[in-house]
Structures are given as structure tokens and as C-alpha cells.
Amino acid sequence: MEDKYWFLKQCSLFEKLSPGQIEQVESQSRMRKFSKASLVYLPSDQSDSVLLLISGRIKLYHLTPDGKQALLALIDPGELFGELAILEGGTREEFAEAMETSQVVAIPRNVIHELMESHAEVSLGVTRLLGLRRRRVERRLKSLLFRSNRERLVHLLVELLEKYGEQETEGVRIAIRLSHQDLANIIGSTRETVTVLLGELGYDRLLLIKKRKIYVPNPARLAESIGLAAPVIPTE
């Protein structure tokens, strides 16, 4: 199989497909490049395909009645998004925006349906994806409803450590560049509040900010400060 299908092979959902099947999926899909801050789709767009991120990073969000972003998820290369198109048509339910220059592949809904019917692994993978996204949204909603701003921020930092943590001499670095406004959008707060809270966490020696990067000297201590289990830091 030619290297032109590498972008499908990097998605775990298609790992067990034959070369011919991957070629067929590729032939019916379309790739598009998005510049930073451009919209991949709007809530009013038709939901007729599932999207695979090849490179870059995408954020999914709603807009609150007062025009603020409520961030739902960050999508990294190799991940699918817009997966509700698998279940039904209609229109999208959120905004998808490129946080940096990104390449996205749109896979038609009927192609995914055919794969689910012929491959139990694909069907199971889709079910797991939908379940995981639902649990993440429910966990974030519970955090927004029942926790203080500081607790919500710590909860988010622990999540980021588990997904983007990289061990360095100063501690575990969160290897994703998010602005104070981005963090505020995720936890449903304001940029000014996040700035103050990061300062407080630094004063309490729960984190270190150096050259606009966040380091956590003791992830277990940070998690324990709000009653969470120690995060599992990526080893790769």
C-alpha cells in the first residue's frame, strides 16, 4: 500500500482494515487544509461526514448567550471529531475551529456505516468513541456545576497533564500552548480570574510558569489538593 494512505493508518479506528479497504475509504474521502483561527464547521452546517484530524489542533466549542466560548474538547492528530454524524444527519451542534494550521479529512457517513456493518472492530471503536466523548462532557459539566473556579482550573490542569504531560527537570510540563483566555473558556471563567488563580497556585508551589510554559513539580500533590487521584503521565 502506498504511503499516500498514511493518514488513515494513524487512526486507531482503521488499524485492522485491509490495504484495499483503506484505499476505498481514502478514495471516497476528501482532505482540506485550514489556516489558524478558521472555522472547520458551524452549528448550521450539514452533518454528513466524520472528520479525522491529520495535523494541527482543533477546538470544539459552543457560544454562550453573552457571546463567550464554552470549550468542549481539544482534538489532536489521529483523532476523529464530528462523530455525531454517524448516528444521524441534520446539522452540527458546535463550532470547530483550527487553533493552528490544520489538515482535516472528511469521511462520508455512509462509508463509516458500511465499515461498521462489515467490521466488528470498527463498530466497537465507534461505540467507545461516543461513550468516551459523552463521559468527558458529563465530567466537565459536573465540574462546572459543583466546583469553585480554583477547583475547576486544577481539575483541568490534571486532565492536561494526563494527555500532554512531558517530564522535564523543572517538573512535568504541559506540552500544549493554551492562553489564559483558552483556559478560562474551558472552565467557564474569565481571563482575569485564571491569571489570579495561576498566580495563587504558583505561590502555593503547586505549579511553575516559566517562559509562558506551565510546569507541575508534583502532579500527585496538585491532584490531591482537590481530592483527585494522581494523574498518569504519558511515557512516550
Side-chain angles (χ1 to χ4, degrees), residues 1-217:
M1 184 170 55
E2 298 180 22
D3 287 341
K4 65 179 180 179
Y5 306 122
W6 65 269
F7 56 83
L8 290 177
K9 290 187 287 183
Q10 77 171 3
C11 179
S12 60
L13 197 63
F14 307 121
E15 284 178 344
K16 296 187 178 181
L17 297 185
S18 68
Q21 289 168 329
I22 289 184
E23 182 175 357
Q24 185 175 8
V25 172
E26 190 274 342
S27 67
Q28 299 181 70
S29 304
R30 60 188 185 278
M31 183 183 293
R32 184 176 172 187
K33 189 174 183 179
F34 294 88
S35 58
K36 181 179 179 180
S38 62
L39 290 171
V40 179
Y41 60 73
L42 300 164
S44 58
D45 289 349
Q46 286 298 309
S47 178
D48 56 3
S49 61
V50 180
L51 304 173
L52 171 63
L53 181 61
I54 304 306
S55 63
R57 181 169 288 119
I58 302 293
K59 63 178 178 180
L60 307 180
Y61 63 90
H62 286 302
L63 285 181
T64 63
D66 57 357
K68 294 181 180 179
Q69 290 185 16
L71 202 57
L72 301 174
L74 299 175
I75 307 299
D76 293 306
E79 293 185 351
L80 291 171
F81 62 105
E83 68 277 358
L84 289 182
I86 300 172
L87 301 179
E88 56 186 18
T91 58
R92 304 287 186 186
E93 295 185 351
E94 70 281 321
F95 292 85
E97 180 181 320
M99 298 180 70
E100 55 191 70
T101 300
S102 304
Q103 283 186 301
V104 174
V105 172
I107 306 172
R109 181 172 63 247
N110 66 293
V111 173
I112 298 294
H113 283 172
E114 292 172 3
L115 290 174
M116 291 176 66
E117 291 174 358
S118 59
H119 285 271
E121 296 89 351
V122 174
S123 182
L124 181 60
V126 168
T127 301
R128 286 175 174 169
L129 173 65
L130 293 172
L132 177 61
R133 291 283 164 79
R134 178 179 177 180
R135 286 196 300 273
R136 285 179 178 174
V137 171
E138 288 178 345
R139 184 169 60 179
R140 182 150 293 141
L141 287 175
K142 289 179 181 177
S143 176
L144 290 173
L145 289 172
F146 303 115
R147 293 181 180 271
S148 66
N149 280 319
R150 176 171 171 138
E151 289 171 334
R152 294 202 299 268
L153 180 58
V154 171
H155 192 281
L156 172 60
L157 294 175
V158 171
E159 284 187 349
L160 295 175
L161 284 169
E162 291 185 327
K163 189 171 184 180
Y164 302 107
E166 292 185 358
Q167 186 67 56
E168 297 189 5
T169 55
E170 295 90 343
V172 180
R173 178 173 65 89
I174 297 177
I176 178 174
R177 190 66 70 86
L178 294 173
S179 68
H180 290 192
Q181 186 63 62
D182 290 330
L183 296 173
N185 290 340
I186 298 174
I187 68 171
S189 186
T190 65
R191 179 182 59 80
E192 294 80 8
T193 298
V194 166
T195 299
V196 170
L197 290 173
L198 289 173
E200 291 179 358
L201 293 170
Y203 180 81
D204 294 338
R205 298 184 179 181
L206 290 172
L207 59 78
L208 169 67
I209 298 179
K210 185 177 180 181
K211 296 182 179 179
R212 301 175 67 182
K213 298 175 182 178
I214 297 177
Y215 298 85
V216 179

